[in-house]
């Protein structure tokens, strides 16, 4: 009688895994973001410090194409303080904002954001 | 730049498979501005999209009949790569009868995050699926 073959060794297991980690403060940044376990939010830590920046990095490791949604609350003084999300795979400047003709702006290109 | 608001807003990114990063910054100006404003953020969802995702199941040196039943949510399409002339995937319940051939089932689900199951001769082979 033909009992067939054991195919187990011929198969690679696994299901898609899409994960992320957070670097709370990127290298060279003076401030980072702290995780608030009660709210689940990462919160900037440079409050009360003029000409400063908090910079964190969201590291993504996906086995499939994904749509990532980030929820944020941005308490900021219009034209003077900014919350900014960099473009994918684009390093942003880690220093604070510099004065521009209309309030302040990042020291690197706006096209990075 | 983010919208200034004390209520929650969202921003989305379309990200391909692989390793990537997103820098997030809260900058304060160089004027006399020592307020305690802040930026708060969190990842609220990562939704797999259909592009590029498929599952495979391979049988080599087949010596008996295999009955395959798979559930992948909404399947966009499936196809087989097979040696010999006897490999067939019948439309009535995904039952395949083979004789001494090799067989590779490729399934492309509409949503790769959907529930996935595969039974081979009434044995759960879900963990043996290969994702590409």
């Amino acid at each position: 009688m033909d009992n067939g073959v054991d195919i187990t060794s011929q198969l690679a297991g696994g299901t898609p895994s899409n994960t992320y980690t957070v670097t709370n403060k990127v290298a060279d940044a003076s401030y980072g973001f702290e995780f608030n376990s009660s709210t689940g939010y990462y919160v900037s830590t440079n409050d009360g410090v003029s000409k400063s920046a908090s910079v964190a990095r969201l590291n993504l490791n996906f086995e499939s194409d994904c749509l990532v949604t980030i929820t944020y609350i941005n308490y900021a003084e219009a034209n003077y303080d900014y919350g900014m999300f960099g473009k994918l795979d684009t390093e942003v400047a880690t220093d604070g904002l510099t004065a521009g003709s209309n309030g302040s702006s990042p020291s690197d290109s706006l096209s990075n954001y | 730049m983010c919208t200034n608001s004390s209520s929650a807003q969202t921003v989305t990114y379309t990200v391909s498979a692989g390793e990537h990063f997103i820098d997030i910054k809260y900058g304060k100006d160089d004027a006399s501005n020592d307020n305690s404003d802040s930026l708060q953020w969190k990842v609220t969802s990562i939704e797999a999209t259909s592009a590029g995702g498929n599952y495979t199941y391979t049988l080599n040196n087949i010596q008996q009949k295999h009955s395959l039943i798979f559930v992948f949510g909404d399947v966009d399409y499936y196809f087989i790569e097979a040696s010999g002339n006897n490999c067939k995937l019948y439309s009535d319940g995904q039952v395949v009868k083979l004789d001494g051939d090799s067989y590779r089932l490729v399934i492309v689900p509409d949503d790769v995050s959907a529930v996935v199951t595969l039974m081979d001769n009434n044995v759960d082979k879900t963990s043996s699926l290969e994702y590409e």
Side-chain angles (χ1 to χ4, degrees):
Chain A
M1 179 179 176
D2 185 354
N3 292 319
V5 294
D6 180 0
I7 63 171
T8 304
S9 63
Q10 302 170 16
L11 301 172
T15 54
S17 174
N18 300 311
T19 61
Y20 73 89
T21 61
V22 173
T23 302
N24 292 62
K25 183 173 80 71
V26 303
D28 299 328
S30 298
Y31 299 88
F33 286 72
E34 285 184 350
F35 181 67
N36 183 327
S37 59
S38 62
T39 65
Y41 280 96
Y42 290 86
V43 184
S44 58
T45 59
N46 61 327
D47 56 297
V49 184
S50 62
K51 198 177 182 180
S52 68
S54 297
V55 185
R57 178 164 294 173
L58 178 62
N59 308 289
L60 309 172
N61 189 357
F62 293 167
E63 291 185 0
S64 65
D65 297 353
C66 290
L67 181 67
V68 178
T69 300
I70 299 171
T71 298
Y72 66 88
I73 300 172
N74 185 34
Y75 296 102
E77 184 179 5
N79 296 324
Y80 292 97
D81 302 332
Y82 289 102
M84 295 171 282
F85 289 86
K87 289 184 177 177
L88 189 68
D89 298 331
T90 303
E91 292 186 18
V92 304
T94 56
D95 56 354
L97 302 175
T98 56
S101 58
N102 183 23
S104 300
S105 62
S107 59
D108 54 346
S109 172
L110 285 175
S111 65
N112 288 341
Y113 302 92
Chain B
M1 302 290 183
C2 303
T3 303
N4 290 338
S5 175
S6 58
S7 60
Q9 312 288 315
T10 60
V11 60
T12 60
Y13 289 81
T14 300
V15 183
S16 60
E19 294 186 358
H20 302 278
F21 69 88
I22 298 168
D23 280 354
I24 300 167
K25 177 177 180 177
Y26 183 69
K28 299 180 73 65
D29 73 345
D30 65 352
S32 177
N33 182 2
D34 57 358
N35 62 49
S36 57
D37 292 342
S38 66
L39 172 66
Q40 305 178 38
W41 63 271
K42 61 181 175 182
V43 177
T44 44
S45 73
I46 298 175
E47 299 177 35
T49 56
S50 60
N54 61 52
Y55 295 86
T56 62
Y57 186 65
T58 304
L59 304 170
N60 291 319
N61 190 26
I62 296 165
Q63 299 296 317
Q64 67 167 356
K65 174 180 177 179
H66 287 260
S67 296
L68 304 180
I69 301 173
F70 59 85
V71 177
F72 285 66
D74 294 328
V75 174
D76 271 353
Y77 63 88
Y78 56 83
F79 61 92
I80 60 173
E81 299 169 351
S83 64
N85 299 319
N86 296 319
C87 296
K88 294 180 180 177
L89 182 64
Y90 296 95
S91 60
D92 53 343
Q94 291 78 52
V95 176
V96 60
K97 182 177 181 180
L98 310 104
D99 183 11
D101 296 327
S102 296
Y103 170 90
R104 182 170 180 260
L105 172 68
V106 181
I107 304 166
V108 182
D110 179 59
D111 179 1
V112 296
S113 65
V115 174
V116 175
T117 63
L118 174 68
M119 303 293 290
D120 184 355
N121 287 349
N122 296 317
V123 176
D124 189 343
K125 288 291 183 179
T126 303
S127 62
S128 297
L129 286 165
E130 184 173 4
Y131 182 77
E132 298 180 340

